[in-house]
Amino acid sequence: MAKVSFVVNGEARTLDLDTRTTLLDALREHLHLTGTKKGCDHGQCGACTVMVDGRRINSCLTLAVMHEGDDITTIEGLGTPQKLHPMQAAFVKHDGYQCGYCTPGQICSAVAALDEIKAGIPSHVSADLTAPPQLTAIELRERMSGNICRCGAYSNILDAIAEVAGRTS
Amino acid sequence: MKSFTYERAASPAEAAAAAARIAGAKFIAGGTNLLDLMKLEIETPAHLIDVNGLALDKIEATADGGLRIGALVRNTDLAADQRVRRDYGLLARALLAGASGQLRNKATTAGNLLQRTRCPYFYDTNQPCNKRKPGSGCAALGGFSRAHAVVGVSDACIAVYPSDMAVALMALDATVETVCADGTTRRIPIAQLYRLPGETPHVENVLESGELISAVSLPKPVGGAHIYRKVRDRASYAFALVSVGAIVQRDGTGRVALGGVAPKPWRVAAAEAELPRGAKAVTAALLADAKPTRENAFKLPLVERTLGAVLRDARA
Ligand SMILES: Cc1cc2nc3c(=O)[nH]c(=O)nc-3n(C[C@H](O)[C@H](O)[C@H](O)COP(=O)(O)OP(=O)(O)OC[C@H]3O[C@@H](n4cnc5c(N)ncnc54)[C@H](O)[C@@H]3O)c2cc1C
Ligand code: SF4
Ligand code: FES
Ligand code: FES
């Protein structure tokens, strides 16, 4: 067992955990924040995407004890049913899901991906490595490739993200 | 997952000493490969040494005009560094061709170098695998081997080494800097880091017990066109079937390294001498000793065509 303290959605939390507990299981099983989903548990689907210190990661491939002092944001921390985050609202508007299982991960990933473009981080499809990346549909697709949607809602997901990004795809 | 004890390392030297002293200890960095394998009990460390707190996350200019990349620099940050994008475009391109945005945010320079094979039989603990369980046999030989290696293989193992980043580092003549268990340091040219499988496919590199990678250094930029072309089963978020990393100068000379075809990033000096003569000649030299299986023989012409495309892009 080991003690770990971090901030989740603005709230300080301290947990006594088996060292084997992933951040994903700590969130779901110990803090009962079940918005974050477990798809593959092996980094292959993106359903478990959360933001740690503002960066998106797969919470299934990291140990909770490795996050001492970190600031974690899950889908529950982005917005509430009464006050949706613009990305959540856009997913609703554009029907960016079918079963909804991948959706929390898609939304967390999308919010962080737009921040990455803003921060000037290039991608595999950026034509010019030295120029700031563009907000194109092909950039958004590439940057969202770590989030699999078994229902195939990709085109609506892209529309939702593009709207928030400030352009229509 | 097997249970383990956990500590945060205080300094590189203490981390290395502890890793050599404590039976079954392993370093954990991003965790994106190690935890994956621990869940399947392919890796069963009794003790984890978390190296994330070691201040090894800087990218610094070196006295000889090169770059020194800390072992803990995240793949995203390395690919986004302005100096890397300008002077070592091949490295940025290779990093960005790997994994996903989420994974690159966690994956580290050292962890990426030491990631293990994606051979499906290595992952399936019901199958014989000499790499996972020495002496048990190799299920890939005579099994499904479409994604496996065509050169550098042995009768014991035909697994591919999967890193994209390492292909670029190979072409860039990078040097791996380490701290040993006794506190001494050493510098290992990346061309000497990996071992071919031979009879001992479970021994993958020359690092000794407890040896910690502290940094990877790059010599000063060599200019030229930097191209990384990765061929895979889907357009993103997939490992390479074949990848070609190249630096091509105006006069047609240059460097080439391959991914997806061998148990280590594959570079052959004699092949580079053939560059001005074109893809066919270079490929013949790169894959001179190839021993493909029936299922992966397609990789031979695929290398030639991918390299042909790279050389065309370089001239454009
Ligand atoms: C779904 C998926 C897709 C992927 N696709 C790709 C791809 O297309 N291309 C690609 O190249 N990679 C791909 N990867 C692999 C990914 O790049 C690696 O998992 C990652 O780079 C490993 O880095 P890490 O810091 O997380 O390593 P860890 O998992 O922390 O460690 C890996 C190994 O390195 C050792 N280690 C870590 N740091 C040190 C150190 N400082 N000194 C000595 N030893 C150390 C650990 O003990 C462990 O054995 C993919 C991974 C996943 C899960
Ligand atoms: S190819 Fe290597 S890793 Fe794969 S089953 Fe054979 S011995 Fe194991
Ligand atoms: S559950 Fe983490 S990536 Fe699938
Ligand atoms: S909406 Fe069902 S998996 Fe994406």
Side-chain angles (χ1 to χ4, degrees):
Chain A
M1 300 294 278
K3 205 185 213 66
V4 63
S5 301
F6 41 53
V7 174
V8 182
N9 300 331
E11 207 179 316
R13 311 297 294 251
T14 297
L15 294 169
D16 230 338
L17 297 171
D18 186 309
T19 50
R20 288 172 286 189
T21 315
T22 60
L23 178 59
L24 174 61
D25 287 340
L27 292 169
R28 287 183 54 87
E29 310 297 332
H30 296 265
L31 298 176
H32 307 294
L33 291 166
T34 53
T36 308
K37 298 294 186 256
K38 182 183 285 190
C40 64
D41 214 19
H42 287 279
Q44 299 174 359
C45 76
C48 66
T49 304
V50 300
M51 284 179 268
V52 174
D53 297 334
R55 297 169 69 132
R56 56 179 171 159
I57 65 163
N58 301 106
S59 61
C60 69
L61 284 189
T62 188
L63 295 170
V65 291
M66 296 173 76
H67 291 280
E68 180 66 35
D70 285 356
D71 190 351
I72 297 151
T73 304
T74 69
I75 189 72
E76 292 93 342
L78 273 185
T80 62
Q82 290 71 39
K83 195 170 180 297
L84 294 178
H85 182 281
M87 191 65 77
Q88 291 171 317
F91 268 67
V92 173
K93 177 178 163 195
H94 290 276
D95 218 2
Y97 43 77
Q98 196 176 115
C99 75
Y101 199 80
C102 71
T103 313
Q106 297 277 3
I107 291 177
C108 287
S109 189
V111 169
L114 293 185
D115 288 345
E116 287 167 12
I117 295 178
K118 232 175 266 160
I121 295 168
S123 87
H124 174 60
V125 299
S126 306
D128 181 356
L129 265 188
T130 55
Q134 308 287 302
L135 258 176
T136 59
I138 165 175
E139 279 282 359
L140 295 177
R141 268 180 212 278
E142 162 61 24
R143 288 167 193 270
M144 290 299 293
S145 72
N147 292 83
I148 308 293
C149 175
R150 197 70 181 78
C151 299
Y154 296 110
S155 62
N156 292 0
I157 291 171
L158 193 67
D159 288 346
I161 302 172
E163 177 173 301
V164 176
R167 63 181 301 282
T168 42
S169 61
Chain B
M1 207 187 300
K2 296 275 193 244
S3 66
F4 55 84
T5 48
Y6 169 84
E7 73 171 291
R8 294 186 190 96
S11 72
E14 284 171 67
R21 191 180 62 242
I22 303 166
K26 271 196 100 79
F27 302 121
I28 186 163
T32 60
N33 189 228
L34 185 56
L35 279 171
D36 190 1
L37 296 169
M38 283 169 64
K39 288 180 183 192
L40 298 164
E41 299 191 357
I42 294 162
E43 297 268 18
T44 52
H47 184 69
L48 283 185
I49 301 171
D50 182 348
V51 296
N52 285 281
L54 306 179
L56 299 174
D57 57 354
K58 312 268 181 315
I59 306 174
E60 309 157 323
T62 59
D64 61 0
L67 221 48
R68 186 165 182 275
I69 303 156
L72 270 297
V73 172
R74 306 290 156 175
N75 287 179
T76 298
D77 299 319
L78 184 54
D81 185 273
Q82 293 295 349
R83 294 160 294 186
V84 173
R85 284 154 78 177
R86 188 188 62 218
D87 299 330
Y88 306 95
L90 175 59
L91 177 56
R93 286 289 181 202
L95 285 161
L96 294 169
S100 67
Q102 290 96 314
L103 289 160
R104 291 191 298 271
N105 279 344
K106 272 265 124 195
T108 63
T109 312
N112 190 319
L113 281 175
L114 299 186
Q115 64 174 291
R116 306 198 68 191
T117 185
R118 310 304 285 205
C119 169
Y121 302 107
F122 174 72
Y123 268 78
D124 181 349
T125 50
N126 295 310
Q127 297 287 341
C129 169
N130 288 322
K131 191 187 271 302
R132 176 167 35 74
K133 193 162 180 253
S136 64
C138 169
L141 287 164
F144 293 106
S145 56
R146 176 174 175 271
H148 287 75
V150 295
V151 268
V153 297
S154 72
D155 293 337
C157 179
I158 58 169
V160 155
Y161 167 72
S163 167
D164 290 296
M165 178 190 79
V167 175
L169 292 179
M170 191 75 145
L172 289 164
D173 281 333
T175 301
V176 177
E177 302 180 15
T178 68
V179 178
C180 300
D182 62 4
T184 58
T185 61
R186 63 170 177 154
R187 297 170 57 85
I188 307 165
I190 188 160
Q192 290 163 28
L193 179 67
Y194 300 103
R195 289 181 193 270
L196 289 177
E199 293 301 304
T200 54
H202 59 292
V203 187
E204 296 173 350
N205 55 57
V206 301
L207 298 181
E208 283 160 14
S209 167
E211 193 165 358
L212 175 88
I213 296 178
S214 54
V216 171
S217 56
L218 300 177
K220 75 176 195 305
V222 295
H226 285 226
I227 299 174
Y228 189 73
R229 195 168 181 120
K230 179 174 177 181
V231 182
R232 41 186 160 173
D233 284 332
R234 57 182 180 195
S236 184
Y237 201 20
F239 286 93
L241 285 170
V242 160
S243 72
V244 174
I247 301 174
V248 185
Q249 305 295 344
R250 292 197 89 101
D251 62 4
T253 64
R255 306 172 179 189
V256 181
L258 302 179
V261 297
K264 62 177 193 176
W266 198 250
R267 190 174 168 197
V268 175
E272 291 176 4
E274 301 289 329
L275 265 171
R277 276 175 287 282
K280 196 179 175 70
V282 180
T283 305
L286 273 169
L287 303 180
D289 301 316
K291 271 177 62 184
T293 65
R294 199 166 46 83
E295 290 189 356
N296 67 17
F298 74 93
K299 288 191 176 186
L300 276 55
L302 188 56
V303 167
E304 185 181 323
R305 288 177 200 155
T306 309
L307 179 60
V310 164
L311 297 180
R312 230 176 8 257
D313 286 353
R315 279 193 302 270

